[in-house]
Amino acid sequence: MAKNTICLWYEHNAEEAARFYANTFPQSSLGAVHRAPGDYPDGKTGDALVVEFTVVGIPCIGLNGGPQFKHSEAFSFQIATDDQEETDRYWNAIVGNGGQESQCGWCKDKWGVSWQITPRVLTDALAKGGEAAKRAFAAMMPMKKIDVAAIEAAVRG
């Protein structure tokens, strides 16, 4: 296990989530699945308790701890995309697999984990500052999934 690892709390489906992430994102994989050595409040002996996985190079563990704690937008994975095709692929994978859309490139997967699917053209425009950044920001605000062409047009003015 890495020295610093993100731990995500799941009800009972960390392994399912980790498999989905590994199949959806590059540089992602499912690692070891540690089974409970005994019964615990929200599981039984042999249930997946801790699942090691990597999401786009970031080491994570999923803890099947039960329903006590829920995910929130206070934590999200931000995935930088290079074009509309890549943006659509990740957005559709998350939202189309039981997830839900939100605003400004944010969505949640079916386990409640928040994702920002963010085209580089948007972050580049905002980093430039000035009028182009203002136009890109204004164009982004009403969007759910980011429209790369609309951001590029806003930057051009």
Side-chain angles (χ1 to χ4, degrees):
M1 184 181 294
K3 190 165 187 84
N4 184 9
T5 303
I6 294 171
C7 179
L8 297 167
W9 183 289
Y10 293 85
E11 279 195 43
H12 297 288
N13 41 27
E15 187 173 0
E16 178 189 1
R19 285 184 194 286
F20 172 76
Y21 306 148
N23 290 328
T24 301
F25 299 101
Q27 299 175 314
S28 301
S29 61
L30 174 65
V33 177
H34 304 279
R35 306 259 169 218
D39 292 351
Y40 59 105
D42 286 296
K44 302 284 183 208
T45 301
D47 287 353
L49 180 61
V50 176
V51 178
E52 296 179 21
F53 59 99
T54 302
V55 176
V56 192
I58 299 172
C60 302
I61 61 172
L63 173 65
N64 282 327
Q68 295 87 339
F69 301 109
K70 304 291 183 199
H71 297 286
S72 80
E73 289 80 0
F75 172 88
S76 64
F77 284 104
Q78 184 178 52
I79 305 296
T81 58
D82 293 323
D83 54 31
Q84 191 68 55
E85 185 275 328
E86 187 179 24
T87 301
D88 292 347
R89 183 172 65 246
Y90 297 143
W91 183 273
N92 295 339
I94 292 168
V95 173
N97 189 46
Q100 63 185 65
E101 296 180 316
S102 189
Q103 293 298 121
C104 304
W106 288 65
C107 56
K108 282 186 183 180
D109 64 31
K110 73 177 183 179
W111 303 281
V113 176
S114 290
W115 297 81
Q116 297 176 60
I117 309 301
T118 310
R120 292 180 197 279
V121 68
L122 175 60
T123 51
D124 291 348
L126 297 176
K128 286 180 186 178
E131 292 302 314
K134 287 180 184 178
R135 290 189 304 270
F137 185 76
M140 174 204 65
M141 288 303 294
M143 293 179 186
K144 291 187 179 195
K145 177 175 62 176
I146 302 300
D147 179 336
V148 170
I151 298 297
E152 290 170 338
V155 168
R156 288 190 304 272

